[in-house]
Amino acid sequence: MAASPTPASITAAYLARYRSVAAQRAELVPLTGAQRRFLLSRRLDPQGRPAIVPLFFAFPRGTVDPARLRRAATRLAELHPALRGSLTTLRGTPALRLGEPSAEVREVAVAPGGRAEDALRQALLGWLPEGPPLRLLLARQPGQDGEELLALALDHTACDEQSLGLVTADLSRLYREDPSAAPDPRESAAAVAAYREAVELQLAAEAAASSPAAFAHWAARLGALADTDRVRPAATELPPPTGMLTHRLPAATGAARGAVFPALLDGVSAAAVDLFGSERPLALGYPWGGRPPAAPQALGCFLNTLVHPATAAPADLTELSACWWDDLDHADTPFDEVVHAARSAGASWPGTLDGLLTFEDLHRRPPLVLGGTPGRETHLTGRPIGAPFAVSASHGDDLLVRLAWDREQCPDDDAARAAFEALLTTLRHHLGARPGDPGPGARSAS
């Protein structure tokens, strides 16, 4: 009796559908697994809000020329096809439709007695998905000596962590050059070809990573995950308010640099258990990935979301690191395949995340320089997050750690502070920092 054929992976099935509806459509490009996940998240959001990635830079008053910035941003969108694409669906199959280059650059008015931070926060909350993926919003702090604050925001379907460095470097260069000539059509065509090649190589890597071995790995790792009985956020006009705590630890040096991410995983696990208890493993998501070998370094969304099961058991960092490296061996398995594997092993987990961890090495991202002045990067509180809580770590001259929490799902601010302290205690234990480490202490903002 012949063996049953192996079922096609979710990625292979998507590609087959895409090719059947998009053949000979030069303006269409298939979606990576990460883009499909963000599209699904948008459809599940009560208000259809997209995930956005904002960076905030403060400049001395009068630095930014909005007209010059608009020309530079439009040229940036010409050079990077992901910034002039819009999500579309053909016969139930999602794809990216390439259009004319555009970018939104506008000044945001600050209310009398208000702050530039509040004006930008409200403007980003009103993000309409129909607009361009790249938007730059400028607000000037009231007062004679007030700074001007620039939000550089991208739809997450168009960027990942590697893309942020491309954006700041290219935008700085284009602003300095102030291009006014029409773009070279050959350059634009080459950019589209490079982007298409990068996406196709990414999808090939995802299809190859959707193997029986990867399926078995994720089934074993995540088979104990379960759905949460926490109340989901209501379908309100605005997302629930978020709180934030921040702290700076010394930068990790020497051999400790390689331990930063496993230490963060353990620290975020400690925070999650502190917030939600240890009755069940908790699903912590973190982005990981880059570009497939030999792929053009195209700007776009090529990362994957990996899932770490957090438990209350104390972690030995060597053992945790070994499990993490095993997970990275299967890092190209798309998120939808991972959820399917976990559920096949008995998990009642629907794919929702209890917490998020993002990590950025600031040495890999050039500063945004406008008019010869490097912007001072800052962070705004109160923005919506994609999970009950999220931890962001930025490693540069120090290790800046931020914990944000959704006050609708985590209404106790004291519990959030205790969870943050559990995170910091774990990091100090693994990285050797002392409780009296330099830098401003934890502070709350809302």
Side-chain angles (χ1 to χ4, degrees):
M1 182 177 178
S4 300
T6 303
S9 69
I10 294 173
T11 300
Y14 164 73
L15 278 171
R17 293 195 308 272
Y18 171 82
R19 287 165 181 152
S20 71
V21 302
Q24 311 305 318
R25 299 283 296 272
E27 79 280 11
L28 297 179
V29 183
L31 301 184
T32 65
Q35 288 174 313
R36 299 198 307 274
R37 176 175 178 260
F38 286 125
L39 176 60
L40 177 61
S41 298
R42 179 183 304 187
R43 289 174 174 171
L44 292 176
D45 184 89
Q47 300 301 320
R49 287 183 290 258
I52 61 172
V53 181
L55 300 174
F56 301 95
F57 300 95
F59 290 93
R61 196 176 190 88
T63 299
V64 181
D65 179 344
R68 189 184 189 98
L69 184 62
R70 184 174 293 106
R71 292 193 295 273
T74 303
R75 180 72 174 121
L76 183 72
E78 176 69 35
L79 293 177
H80 296 291
L83 297 181
R84 49 188 171 95
S86 59
L87 297 173
T88 188
T89 301
L90 290 85
R91 303 211 303 261
T93 304
L96 190 73
R97 186 190 302 276
L98 302 182
E100 294 299 315
S102 66
E104 179 182 348
V105 178
R106 66 183 173 94
E107 298 185 58
V108 177
V110 179
R115 303 185 308 159
E117 291 90 340
D118 298 329
L120 288 182
R121 185 187 302 110
Q122 286 301 118
L124 290 173
L125 288 175
W127 182 292
L128 297 175
E130 294 77 20
L134 172 64
R135 309 182 195 190
L136 296 113
L137 310 178
L138 182 68
R140 293 184 171 87
Q141 194 70 33
Q144 187 69 26
D145 300 321
E147 294 180 308
E148 46 193 20
L149 192 61
L150 179 68
L152 190 166
L154 299 107
D155 191 307
H156 215 330
T157 59
C159 80
D160 55 21
E161 193 248 341
Q162 286 193 21
S163 296
L164 295 177
L166 291 172
V167 169
T168 56
D170 282 356
L171 188 60
S172 298
R173 175 179 61 82
L174 293 168
Y175 187 92
R176 182 178 67 250
E177 295 174 354
D178 191 21
S180 56
D184 185 342
R186 293 171 297 181
E187 187 178 31
S188 178
V192 171
Y195 178 72
R196 188 182 300 277
E197 180 186 359
V199 169
E200 290 174 348
L201 287 172
Q202 175 70 24
L203 287 167
E206 292 176 7
S210 302
S211 64
F215 198 88
H217 171 83
W218 291 115
R221 281 284 277 157
L222 307 178
L225 294 180
D227 195 6
T228 175
D229 57 1
R230 289 192 298 275
V231 177
R232 300 286 196 272
T236 55
E237 192 167 313
L238 293 176
T242 58
M244 180 181 285
L245 292 161
T246 68
H247 193 84
R248 292 182 185 272
L249 295 168
T253 58
R257 289 188 66 86
V260 170
F261 197 84
L264 282 165
L265 274 180
D266 194 28
V268 177
S269 297
V273 170
D274 209 86
L275 278 173
F276 303 128
S278 57
E279 291 78 13
R280 62 179 180 86
L282 299 163
L284 303 180
Y286 61 95
W288 200 266
R291 307 292 186 273
Q297 289 300 303
L299 186 152
C301 185
F302 299 89
L303 54 77
N304 193 15
T305 299
L306 275 65
V307 181
H308 175 76
T311 65
D316 173 81
L317 201 60
T318 300
E319 182 179 341
L320 186 150
S321 296
C323 291
W324 174 56
W325 278 108
D326 285 345
D327 289 346
L328 295 189
D329 285 340
H330 304 90
D332 287 331
T333 309
F335 188 83
D336 43 16
E337 294 278 6
V338 170
V339 176
H340 180 44
R343 293 182 68 85
S344 74
S348 59
W349 177 55
T352 53
L353 298 172
D354 297 291
L356 288 167
L357 168 62
T358 58
F359 175 73
E360 184 180 15
D361 185 346
L362 294 179
H363 294 105
R364 296 169 55 186
R365 174 156 60 82
L368 178 65
V369 180
L370 301 181
T373 302
R376 174 176 54 82
E377 187 168 358
T378 185
H379 303 278
L380 264 64
T381 62
R383 298 186 296 105
I385 54 179
F389 81 102
V391 171
S392 302
S394 303
H395 200 198
D397 295 333
D398 54 26
L399 180 63
L400 172 62
V401 184
R402 308 184 299 280
L403 183 147
W405 69 98
D406 177 337
R407 285 194 167 107
E408 186 163 308
Q409 299 190 67
C410 304
D412 188 342
D413 285 7
D414 288 337
R417 293 187 183 93
F420 191 50
E421 189 54 43
L423 163 65
L424 295 177
T425 298
T426 304
L427 290 176
R428 291 183 182 113
H429 170 72
H430 289 313
L431 301 178
R434 298 181 300 277
D437 41 45
R443 58 183 174 83
S444 178
S446 58

